[in-house]
């Protein structure tokens, strides 16, 4: 048989199989998909199970918040910051009022700052609980969701007692907080909750999920983000810290009452695999819950007496002409506001730098070459919130 | 070609048996028409079907925004939505009966929402959860990209107000939907102990 005939039939000689030209399959993941945490759409180009290209398509939840900032006055816009990161609304409130007070040159009473720290950290714990629970859900573990939502309901109860709302609070106002502590029992309840969280619940989660063999097999050494990649794409928060970089706005660019308190910045150690894999990003959040508990205890034990508002609630707020950039550490990362005032009661422009938006972009680099099921692990470990990405 | 279109019955088909069945059914209808209770059979079957439908409403997993978190909370530990038979969230619309539009519907999402609604099999119901889905909510005035109410796109059965609604309110909306399926008019009766308790809550400034 001639050589050309062998090539034509193909099967005769396995070493000389002619190259099969195949097209990549375009696959839409989302916008209605249970594992994309909202209405994110990932446009994949796959060859079998291997992903060759990832393109995140956004804008399905664009709610015009930055344009609304030019229409409503400064105090009214606090309502819209709640709806950015609806898992940790207090952190978003904190970011905006910090920027506004920087523009106004407004001082905040000590008691107000302490209450802000308590509320923001409680909110951060609630956000991390949802993040860990949904990450477990993506990996096929349904039971931790039930346990973590149980504690989240406790936090929502505590925040409802101080702020009046169950999920979205509108609690922080320029110059302080809206309500004082309702009674002394609230402080006791928060402290007992924090104790319970540290001593009982976090070890329980570790037993349930963190050190579970199946979970480790599924997440360790998967989708490793190197520190260089994390810097290039502007990742912040637990995604950056999971890659082993110790950076936290609460310590490195302090604001509010944070410089007074003593806390650590947990970073990814690579306990189960390489530094920066999905398990590290997951476990950094677990460690941050403990640090938030420490912060809450310190802030409540040194809660000073005195006023909690600097400006009367019903008074409209005016800010001078000028521009400021202020950044805070939200539950997802660095949340920045570039606020331009024109001297009136309404902002001229407010540009928001949202952490989830920058964290998401890393999938275009790290997601390439992974299996489709590992891409789900990557998106779950980034902990994105679409309300913040699209605004 | 089906049997009715062909002129001759297929082999082995018992013609006499079919005539017998027809006779029996005709006889039954005659008897029914003579009796006092007309359409007795049909209404009863409907009620049984409705009871079955309202006891296992499967929602589609369709979280849009903030309200989706409350929807998950309603399905999680404290407010167990499984008690009402609506806890089986289906990822595909083809297995679902109910679409809970939980959150803001934007212009870009509207087409997809209609697509998902069209993919659901009949009978299907829609619940507009939260003020954004009802009428734009806080994004009504300046929200250039927000659809001012999901009922511009799909027909809505139950409106659940709130921003976001508490899980209790979602459960209440589910019970009103069950009333609707049952064919009864829903009634909102506040128990007396709730009214008494509400008066005792001190009003905050």
């Amino acid at each position: 048989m001639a050589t050309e005939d062998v090539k034509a039939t193909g099967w005769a000689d396995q070493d000389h199989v002619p190259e099969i030209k195949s097209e990549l399959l375009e696959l839409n993941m989302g916008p209605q998909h249970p594992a994309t945490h909202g209405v994110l759409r990932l446009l994949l180009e796959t060859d079998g199970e291997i992903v060759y290209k990832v393109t995140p398509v956004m804008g399905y939840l664009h709610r015009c918040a930055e344009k609304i900032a030019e229409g409503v006055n400064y105090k009214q816009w606090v309502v819209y910051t709640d709806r950015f990161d609806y898992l940790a609304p207090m952190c978003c409130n904190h970011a905006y009022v910090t920027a506004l007070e920087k523009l106004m040159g407004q001082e905040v009473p000590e008691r107000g700052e302490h209450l802000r720290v308590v509320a923001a950290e409680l909110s951060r714990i609630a956000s991390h609980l949802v993040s860990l629970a949904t990450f477990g859900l993506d990996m096929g573990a349904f039971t931790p969701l039930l346990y973590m939502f149980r504690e989240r309901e406790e936090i929502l109860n505590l925040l409802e007692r101080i702020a009046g709302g169950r999920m979205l609070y509108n609690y922080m106002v320029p110059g302080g907080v809206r309500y004082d502590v309702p009674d002394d029992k609230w402080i006791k309840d928060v402290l007992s909750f924090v104790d319970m969280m540290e001593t009982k619940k976090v070890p329980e989660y570790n037993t349930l999920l963190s050190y579970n063999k199946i979970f480790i097999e599924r997440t360790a050494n998967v989708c490793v983000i190197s520190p260089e990649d994390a810097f290039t794409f502007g990742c912040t928060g637990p995604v950056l810290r999971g890659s082993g970089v110790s950076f936290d706005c609460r310590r490195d660019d302090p604001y509010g009452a944070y410089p007074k308190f003593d806390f650590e910045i947990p970073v990814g150690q690579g306990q189960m695999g390489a530094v920066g894999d999905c398990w590290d990003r997951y476990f950094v959040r677990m460690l941050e819950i403990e640090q938030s508990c420490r912060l809450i205890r310190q802030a409540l034990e040194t809660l000073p007496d005195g006023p909690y508002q600097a400006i009367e609630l019903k008074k409209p707020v005016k800010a001078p002409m000028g521009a400021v950039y202020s950044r805070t550490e939200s539950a997802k990362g660095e949340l920045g506001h570039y606020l331009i005032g024109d001297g009136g009661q309404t902002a001229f422009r407010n540009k928001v730098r949202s952490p989830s938006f920058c964290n998401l972009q890393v999938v275009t680099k790290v997601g390439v070459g992974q299996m489709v099921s590992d891409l789900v692990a990557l998106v779950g470990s980034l902990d994105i919130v679409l309300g913040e990405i699209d605004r | 070609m089906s049997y009715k279109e062909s002129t001759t019955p297929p082999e082995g088909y018992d013609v006499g048996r079919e005539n017998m069945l027809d006779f029996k059914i005709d006889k039954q209808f005659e008897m029914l028409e003579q009796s006092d209770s007309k359409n007795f059979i049909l209404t009863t079957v409907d009620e049984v079907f409705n009871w079955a439908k309202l006891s296992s409403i499967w929602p589609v997993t369709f979280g849009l925004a903030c309200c989706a978190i409350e929807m998950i909370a309603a399905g999680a530990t404290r407010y167990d939505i499984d008690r009402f038979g609506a806890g089986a969230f289906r990822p595909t619309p083809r297995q679902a009966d109910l679409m809970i539009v939980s959150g803001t519907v934007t212009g870009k999402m509207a087409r997809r929402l209609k697509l998902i609604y069209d993919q659901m099999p009949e009978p299907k119901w829609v619940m507009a959860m939260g003020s954004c889905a009802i009428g734009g909510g806080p994004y009504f005035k300046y929200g250039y990209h927000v659809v001012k109410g999901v009922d511009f796109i799909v027909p809505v059965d139950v409106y659940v107000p709130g921003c976001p609604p508490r899980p209790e309110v979602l459960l209440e909306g589910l019970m009103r939907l069950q009333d609707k399926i049952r064919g009864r008019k829903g009634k909102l009766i506040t128990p007396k102990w709730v009214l008494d308790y509400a008066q005792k809550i001190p009003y905050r400034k």
Side-chain angles (χ1 to χ4, degrees), chain A residues 31-32 34 38-39 41 57-64 67-68 71-72 80 83 86-87 146 149-150 152-154 157 160-162 164 166-168 179-180 308, chain B residues 60-66 69-70 72-73 75-79 90-91 93 104 106 108-109 112 116 132 138-139 142-146 163-164 166-167 204-205:
Chain A
Q32 188 257 330
V39 286
R41 175 174 161 216
V57 183
M58 289 158 290
Y60 291 98
L61 197 56
H62 176 57
R63 299 195 277 193
C64 336
K67 188 70 188 169
I68 291 171
V72 299
Y80 294 92
R83 278 134 186 100
Y86 37 79
L87 294 174
L146 300 175
F149 265 77
R150 182 184 63 189
R152 184 172 177 270
E153 293 287 340
E154 291 297 317
N157 267 7
E160 189 180 352
R161 276 162 69 187
I162 193 173
R166 190 184 128 87
M167 202 176 119
L168 306 176
Y179 302 117
D180 198 0
Y308 55 95
Chain B
V60 56
T61 314
F62 190 49
L64 282 174
C66 332
I69 305 299
E70 291 295 62
I72 298 170
T77 319
R78 187 179 290 178
Y79 314 91
R90 310 310 293 177
T104 318
T106 56
K108 198 172 178 180
M109 198 64 204
R112 277 79 180 176
I116 287 165
C132 291
Y139 304 96
Y142 299 102
Y144 50 84
H145 191 225
V146 176
C163 189
R166 299 173 68 92
R204 294 183 91 158
K205 59 174 178 177

Side-chain angles (χ1 to χ4, degrees), chain A residues 193-205:
Chain A
F193 170 78
V194 165
D195 285 342
M196 182 192 75
M197 199 75 199
E198 273 186 332
T199 55
K200 281 188 189 166
K201 299 301 174 187
V202 173
E204 192 180 309
Y205 302 150

Side-chain angles (χ1 to χ4, degrees), chain A residues 219 221-225 276-278 281 366-367 370 374-375 377-378:
Chain A
T219 54
N221 277 326
V222 169
C223 294
V224 179
I225 301 179
D277 58 359
C278 290
R281 285 192 287 282
V366 180
Q370 307 284 349
D374 287 346
L375 193 73
L378 175 65

Side-chain angles (χ1 to χ4, degrees), chain B residues 66-68 70-71 74 81 98-104 125-138 150-151 156-178 188:
Chain B
C66 332
C67 295
E70 291 295 62
M71 191 174 73
I81 206 173
L98 167 68
M99 183 163 72
I100 303 177
V101 184
S102 53
T104 318
W125 296 278
V126 177
M127 193 187 277
M129 182 184 182
S131 50
C132 291
I134 291 173
V150 73
D151 43 11
V156 177
D157 291 289
V158 177
Y159 295 88
V160 181
C163 189
R166 299 173 68 92
E168 293 101 316
V169 187
L170 184 64
L171 296 182
E172 180 73 36
L174 189 71
M175 287 193 274
R176 295 285 81 77
L177 182 66
Q178 288 179 334
L188 253 179

